[in-house]
Amino acid sequence: MEMVPSEENQFVPKEIQNAAEEPRVLCIIQDTTSAKTVNERLTLNLPASTTLSRLYEDVSHKAGYVNGTFDLAWGNMPDMASLDHNSEMSLSESGFEPGGKKNFLHLTDKDGEQPQIASVTDSSGVDDSSQERFIGPLPRESTAGCSGDYSSPSYTYSSILSKSDTGYVGLVNQAMTCYLNSLLQTLFMTPEFRNALYNWEFEESEEDPVTSIPYQLQRLFVLLQTSKKRAIETTDVTRSFGWDSSEAWQQHDIQELCRVMFDALEQKWKQTEQADLINQLYQGKLKDYVHCLECGYESWRIDTYLDIPLVIRPFGASQAYGSVEEALQAFIQPETLDGPNQYFCERCKKKCDARKGLRFLHFPYLLTLQLKRFDFDYTTMHRIKLNDRMTFPEELDMSPFIDVEDEKSPQTESCTDSGAENEGSCHSDQMSNDFSTDDCVDEGICLDSTGSTERVLKPKSLLTFELFSVMVHSGSAAGGHYYACIKSFSDGQWYSFNDQHVSKITQDDIRKTYGGSSGSRGYYSSAFASSTNAYMLIYRLKDPSRNAKYLAVDDFPEHIKSLVQKEKESEEQEKRQREIERNTCKIKLFCMHPVRMMMESKLEVHKDKSLREATEMAYKLMELEGIVPLDCCRLVKYDEFHEYLERSYEGEEDTLMGLLLGGVKSSYMFDLLLETRRPEQVFQPYKPGEVMVKVHVVDLKSEAIASPISVRAYLNQTITEFKQLIAQATGLSAETMRVVLERCYNDLRLLYVPNKTLKAEGFFRSNKVFVESSESSDHQVAFTDSVLWKLLDRHGNTIRLLVLLPEQSPGTLANRTQKVRGDSDVIFDGTKGNRKSVEAILEESTEKLKNLSLQQQQQGSSTSDSQKSSDASDFEHIESPTQEADSNSSLCVAADNRELENRIRASAGSSGGASSDQENHFACEERSDSEVNNDRSTSSVDSDILSSSHSSDTLCNADSGPIQLANGLDSHSITSSRRSKAHEGKKETWDTAEEDSGTDSEYDDNGKSKTEAQYLYFRAEPCSQEDTSWDAQKCLVVHVDKRITLAAFKLNVEPYVGVTSTQFKVFRVYANNQEFESVRLNETLSSFSDDNKITIRLGRALKKGEYRVKVYQLLVNEPEPCKFLVDTVFAKGMTVRQSKEELLPQLKEQCKLDISIDRVRLRKKTWKNPGTVFLDYHVYEEDISISSNWEVFLEVLNEPEKMKSMSELAILTRRWSPATMKLGPFQEVILESSSVEELKEKLSEMSSIPLENLEFAKGRGTFPCDISVLEIHQDLDWNPKVSTLNVWPLYICDDGAVVFYRDSTEEPMELSDDERNELMKKESSRLLKTGHRVSYSPRKEKALKIYLDGGPAKDPGQD
């Protein structure tokens, strides 16, 4: 009795197990081995104890395959190795999920071979190969002649996966090489060509196999005949053509490729037996004649052809030819030359009526017909594709296309007067050579060397051709897709060769390629839309004595057998390599290298390698030899994202990597880390379930936060146990320990509940905590009010910036006094002209901070309550660097921190945080209220802690509104802060949310400096050479709270720049060294990160409502009409005339332009196009919209401004003179309306062209609308039929439009070819210099070339 394991791991009879309702596994299997089965699903519901070998048996039975000829792989992990055929592991042990869950599998080829179909006994007696396989509960709907298999131009993933059951191999489309694939498959399916190619033997000593076209074709044909793959690559063939990868993206005409490839083969086959193969198979002959209708004289010449081009629709006709026979008859139909086209007859010695035509003399063995579906439409001047219906027979009788009556032995007449005035007539010796007796028994049929009587008596079968290849084009003249329908001469079956996909088709499918209308169906609405039709037809002469069969493998020549064996070995090697790839685990590998720090690589290890072997491979990969001994390294499971060591593998050194990693997968949810240790150290075991905690020790006295110590803990540990663990690792006291968890950015949580677990507190794989253990009273206050919280908050928000200071020329800072945020000045020595060193400024700043901190500590407790205001928070005052301050004024004493905090709460809660107008008077000096800025989305809190350890720290201002913390608590904790002395007079609050301007300013409307109510951390220090590539003498390293505003940041860097914040600009430097000015002063530095760079440049900063403007000069008649002049500043509310008054002195000083204000015009600039003219009374932001980094045109007028109203229209006009082929200069026309009549009248008045003869056209493109003089006369839309300018096709609605005009009676200059070519060169040079496209030289398609010397020659002048 068969026994199976139960859930209790006891063996029980199988029947009992089934009776106990064993869990079942639902398997859904997709057969990806064939196009017909890819959409089918097999469903099996098996017991969980079913073995994998039994699963294969069940699948083979249901799918109808021979067991062992296919593989099963996981559907959601296609890169994973296939399931083992012989494994006795149960489904549940193999990773299948029971209980109704769907387990998706793919049925795939085994070793690249299609599964063998099991023989089925059928009562009908029909051979099994002709029957459709039955898979699943429903029968197949598809048939052998499924027409939809090949015609659709779109490919699906399943169709690429599917392997043809026809026995034929497809070709991979490199990108746009469908035309090549179609021709190659046709040549392969031509027995005479294939056999001849096999008989040619490659001599490796004479030629490189890589560049040998016949050899690569030979290899390709061998693979097409013997390979077991679905499809093979054509890259070796195209490489032998001398093509690079770019050629794969060029689609060419299949007929063009055929000619070029045949030429290349003829060149390569010279001096070989195959030298004349192409001519023997494909070449025919025809006679091109002219027959005099008066004397009967006929002149002629013999032409050869490889294909016959058949016209689809005659030129000028609306009706297409209906069949190939009709088109062939039209091809040989003679044309009568009469009237002006009369022919000069040598015999008559005069012009006579004649008949000109073509006559077939010799048909090739393989007859190629090209259906000329691509044409040129002279109406639209575009290429078009003719999709008209043209039928073609399966058997084509060519006997009707021989004109017997016209063959009255004209040779005698031709020989006597050969080549009189005919086009290249042929001499009699050439005639006799071309049509010798041997020629008549060649591969083709010769019909001209025998008498007419014999020709009539020839059997018709000698002129019957059998269709075997139809090359189809689907698409338009702009592009499309080629595929081939080919009949096999082995079984007479038609097949579709559509790149990778090969399928059977029927005669009905062939008939659908005739073309023609498809009813109401759209352009690409179905597989056989009207754009899918035959393009090339190939027929073979029906002659049993000559018709060859495909060479069988056993009959191959010896050199081909050797090639087959070589390719077979190569394919086996490729299969083995593929098998190795399928069994190779590829996983990210990291290593903390002792020298190079953290390194990253990819470890590729076979699944059957042990952990010990994998460690040795990783050791070599990370180049640790000679640095760390191998026994001091180990591989551990690692999570890079969380920087978490998941587990170590103690005692598993001999375990296979496939088991450790969970099998071969395309990607893993974890990584590996090669961990190293010193010889005296011992590796710490990492157990699953542990979490990594990085512990930072905080010292409140020194305000230092130490580097992290890694501690591993369990999620079920309590906070008390966790503190004990940290105490052991750090040596701190657990009783006074405070632990703060940083769950995410700026989310600090104090862990104070002793019995709460780490999991409940939100610990995850990798965690970051701060610990502090001291006897201070700081732990007695609320956490958000504590020094610890403020220190951590500052630590989390402080960034490190590199600031490049501007160059200071000697004397610029002479006698300038600069305040350094304190009560004394930093003096710049005017005699030396040098700014004080950064170190000196820092020393002074440090002393001021020390004094400030001491005064606050000594005097804060003695401040009386009467000095406190409930309306607004009060702070110590510091002289603003922008004010004339008394250097002897002393610092006032602030209220103590707690009461200040209460006042700020009251202030923030009243009237939306607006500042009060009341003034509070301290004993030492007058105080002013703070101006509160509440426009930012996130308020900030002062996180500064003043101490002697950070004596060089200075403080800067920020918002005073309450901050909403991540843990839900509001914080108003403000330590001692400072504020600059306010100006006397009217105070206005500054809120950018109320501004309609896009520019922020640090000044109020009176031009006075603004400051903010709260200060954030700011510390500057000298820059070392290691910190930056910049000059360290001119660079600062600034540690600053990123919640600081740009305005406050500028105030804090004033001492180091040497000028006030109003006199310098801040530019942010990006990774590509591009610089962009930061102008929004109320925005914070939150978008900055560590080590970002800032450049300081001298120059006036913008005030509120001001905009920086770039001014360009408009020079309409210059080669470069746009010239940059100056940067200037325009202000909101300023008139255009006022801006001119400020601009002109600047132009005179910087550009040496001395212009009268009445001769200056400002106008809108859009890219390079001049636009709206600004009149003097226009006001910026009221009449003219203005924005940051605005650009305007300045135009110097020859006379005072003529435009007086916005209703007028300024047009730039230019006269075109066809008689001289020249364009006149630009002249401006001012119109009072948008009337075309007014424009014509003004142009007529200006040019003296009669109104009835004046024509105009709108210029195209950007100003100055350059166009070639060879194009302008016919390419522009002259004299549009409109009455107003603001409608289609003109759309002239604004100033600055360009209009060309001409005299319609003026005839264009007649140019000779030389003059035209010379003018074309000049125009090309002129337009290229101005950056305009030369459109009269149309883009030519890249010519199709096959390079016999291995590749194209590089043009030395080409980039």
Side-chain angles (χ1 to χ4, degrees), residues 146 412 830 911:
C146 178
T412 309
S911 65

Side-chain angles (χ1 to χ4, degrees), residues 873 875 901 904-905 907-909 912-914 930-942 958-965 970-974 1012-1016 1043:
S873 57
F875 302 89
E901 185 177 348
I904 293 174
R905 287 192 180 125
S907 174
S930 75
E931 296 163 344
V932 183
N933 180 4
N934 290 320
D935 64 275
R936 291 187 301 158
S937 57
T938 305
S939 300
S940 304
V941 63
D942 185 0
D959 301 340
S960 63
I963 181 170
Q964 184 69 23
L965 300 177
D970 286 334
S971 172
H972 306 274
S973 175
I974 307 296
E1012 295 169 313
Q1014 186 184 345
Y1015 288 88
L1016 291 174
R1043 296 168 294 190

Side-chain angles (χ1 to χ4, degrees), residues 1057-1178:
V1057 179
V1059 296
T1060 63
S1061 62
T1062 62
Q1063 300 302 317
F1064 65 83
K1065 298 172 285 187
V1066 175
F1067 290 83
R1068 183 171 182 176
V1069 184
Y1070 288 86
N1072 55 0
N1073 287 326
Q1074 280 189 302
E1075 295 183 357
F1076 292 94
E1077 184 179 0
S1078 299
V1079 295
R1080 301 187 66 88
L1081 298 171
N1082 65 313
E1083 287 188 352
T1084 66
L1085 304 186
S1086 56
S1087 63
F1088 287 74
S1089 56
D1090 278 334
D1091 293 329
N1092 278 179
K1093 295 181 179 180
I1094 287 176
T1095 299
I1096 305 293
R1097 299 193 187 284
L1098 298 181
R1100 187 171 77 78
L1102 298 178
K1103 298 180 182 179
K1104 177 182 176 182
E1106 289 186 336
Y1107 300 87
R1108 205 171 302 283
V1109 178
K1110 292 182 181 296
V1111 181
Y1112 293 80
Q1113 186 175 4
L1114 178 63
L1115 303 163
V1116 293
N1117 287 309
E1118 295 293 329
E1120 181 50 58
C1122 181
K1123 176 186 176 183
F1124 175 74
L1125 294 177
V1126 292
D1127 275 319
T1128 189
V1129 174
F1130 289 177
K1132 174 184 175 182
M1134 178 187 286
T1135 65
V1136 172
R1137 187 171 183 87
Q1138 288 173 337
S1139 65
K1140 290 180 185 178
E1141 290 171 350
E1142 291 195 7
L1143 180 61
L1144 291 182
Q1146 194 177 352
L1147 292 174
K1148 186 175 182 180
E1149 179 183 351
Q1150 298 183 24
C1151 305
K1152 310 304 179 187
L1153 285 177
D1154 192 2
I1155 317 165
S1156 168
I1157 194 168
D1158 294 328
R1159 298 293 177 91
V1160 173
R1161 171 193 284 173
L1162 295 181
R1163 65 191 305 168
K1164 183 179 179 181
K1165 179 178 181 290
T1166 306
W1167 182 228
K1168 294 185 178 181
N1169 298 312
T1172 308
V1173 174
F1174 301 148
L1175 303 180
D1176 282 352
Y1177 58 83
H1178 285 160

